[in-house]
Amino acid sequence: LNGEYDDEPYLADWVISVFQKVDDAWQKVQVSKVTKADKKIAYTGLENGTYLVCEHPQDGWYNTDPGDAAVMHDDLICKEVELTYGDVTDVIFGNHNGGSITIVKEAHPTAEWKDFEFTGDLGDFTLDGGNADGATITFDELDLGEYSISELNPGNWDLLDLTCNGEVVEGDTATVELTEPGQEIVCTFKNYKRPQVKIYKYEDANYNGQMDDGEALLEGWDMSVYLKVEDEWQQVQRTKPTGANGRVDFTSLEPGDYRICETLQEGWIATEPAEGVCQELSLDYTENVPVYFGNAPIGTITIVKDAYPAKGTFKFEGDLGDFELAAGESTIFEPLEFGKYTVSEKVSSNWHLDDITCEGGEVEVVDNAVTVAIVEPGQHVTCTFHNKLKSTVKVYKYEDANYNGVMDDGE
């Protein structure tokens, strides 16, 4: 393959033609001749002048002499020579009976930014994944023999299909053999990107269970991913918090059934999903699935009934509905959205509402009612209604039979 004759064997059955330059045109002289394996061919009786000595190309062979220095004429490979009477000029043509190997890279989905690396007997090279029909590289003028080409680990892209001239190849290495001149082998490496999920965490300000325009994204919420393996959920990758953009990605996942879960924080409820803190989905190659988790801040209001003496049942009404409490009892209302809630006691005529005391938040007390403002996640407000039984006077009227001014037994 050095483009020079080094006592290598002659090649038979190659057609050689000779043309002479006449008035700036090439005219064929004599008939074309065919080379023999055991001797040279000769054109004799040529006049002085400029000549082209040309070989007729054959499929599967590559010209190495003259190679790039060739003069082309009617698709023939030629050397130009000047002849004068008495000259005997040797014209030598070198050829190599190589084959070609073409490597095709298909990426699903296409990714022009992704370079796939290869190594092996053809050297190290890269092909990008940005061509829908496949990026290609062809190695030609190859010696007959065996060649191996391997794809290096492409990260989160799995090599799922490797074929050479339509035949399936197992593994990530194609081993092929060029056995005859002109043989062309095409190996196609098809990679598929592993699935991934993009998790978005938002504050569901209107408690409607879906992300609406303008709703804030939440940072610092832990997310975990579990893969179903033989009917058991196994965590894959580490738990990750959402970033400042309210998002966290889990990439390079295996195809399969997944459970995506959030760690619920105190003072919040889950609104998407509506029940629980996990969502289940199936993932396949090339999928990039958005998953939304909505949460709303909550608070609680506890109403306590304190009565002196500790007896009786007391009725309440207001934004938390109608309810009753016995002396010493309490009830909690949760979860509560941000907002204001008013609770009033229906004070009976026998009881005096002494006062209403609250802890844990902003309140406003007016007469027999309290208005509580829930303004922070996890806010817990406790309000106690203090009642005292009103005084009672019992009047007894008796007949003072013995006129002593004292009620005696029997009177």
Side-chain angles (χ1 to χ4, degrees), residues 139-212:
F139 300 87
D140 51 22
E141 301 186 24
L142 297 175
D143 288 332
L144 303 184
E146 187 174 274
Y147 295 85
S148 291
I149 307 97
S150 299
E151 181 180 81
L152 300 178
N153 183 0
N156 60 341
W157 296 74
D158 286 346
L159 178 63
L160 299 185
D161 189 353
L162 171 55
T163 59
C164 291
N165 284 6
E167 298 293 328
V168 176
V169 177
E170 299 295 334
D172 58 4
T173 299
T175 300
V176 296
E177 185 174 8
L178 293 172
T179 58
E180 57 187 35
Q183 184 178 359
E184 297 178 352
I185 296 177
V186 178
C187 292
T188 302
F189 291 72
K190 295 181 180 181
N191 290 74
Y192 293 78
K193 191 174 184 180
R194 291 182 181 178
Q196 60 184 9
V197 292
K198 297 183 293 186
I199 301 173
Y200 295 90
K201 182 70 180 170
Y202 67 95
E203 180 178 342
D204 192 3
N206 57 5
Y207 293 78
N208 69 345
Q210 65 183 31
M211 185 174 179
D212 300 310

Side-chain angles (χ1 to χ4, degrees), residues 110-265:
T110 58
E112 61 185 14
W113 46 266
K114 174 63 179 177
D115 285 334
F116 295 86
E117 298 180 350
F118 295 83
T119 190
D121 297 324
L122 300 178
D124 297 336
F125 59 95
T126 61
L127 291 172
D128 70 57
N131 191 328
D133 297 323
T136 63
I137 185 172
T138 298
F139 300 87
D140 51 22
E141 301 186 24
L142 297 175
D143 288 332
L144 303 184
E146 187 174 274
Y147 295 85
S148 291
I149 307 97
S150 299
E151 181 180 81
L152 300 178
N153 183 0
N156 60 341
W157 296 74
D158 286 346
L159 178 63
L160 299 185
D161 189 353
L162 171 55
T163 59
C164 291
N165 284 6
E167 298 293 328
V168 176
V169 177
E170 299 295 334
D172 58 4
T173 299
T175 300
V176 296
E177 185 174 8
L178 293 172
T179 58
E180 57 187 35
Q183 184 178 359
E184 297 178 352
I185 296 177
V186 178
C187 292
T188 302
F189 291 72
K190 295 181 180 181
N191 290 74
Y192 293 78
K193 191 174 184 180
R194 291 182 181 178
Q196 60 184 9
V197 292
K198 297 183 293 186
I199 301 173
Y200 295 90
K201 182 70 180 170
Y202 67 95
E203 180 178 342
D204 192 3
N206 57 5
Y207 293 78
N208 69 345
Q210 65 183 31
M211 185 174 179
D212 300 310
D213 291 342
E215 289 185 325
L217 294 168
L218 299 175
E219 180 181 5
W221 285 69
D222 286 340
M223 298 291 173
S224 302
V225 175
Y226 301 85
L227 173 65
K228 194 172 188 178
V229 180
E230 297 180 354
D231 294 327
E232 292 186 0
W233 294 105
Q234 297 182 3
Q235 184 171 357
V236 296
Q237 304 184 18
R238 61 179 178 82
T239 298
K240 299 179 184 179
T242 55
N245 60 354
R247 171 178 157 182
V248 62
D249 294 352
F250 287 86
T251 61
S252 195
L253 300 172
E254 298 179 15
D257 295 326
Y258 283 86
R259 176 176 286 174
I260 316 297
C261 300
E262 71 172 356
T263 300
L264 191 63
Q265 295 185 8

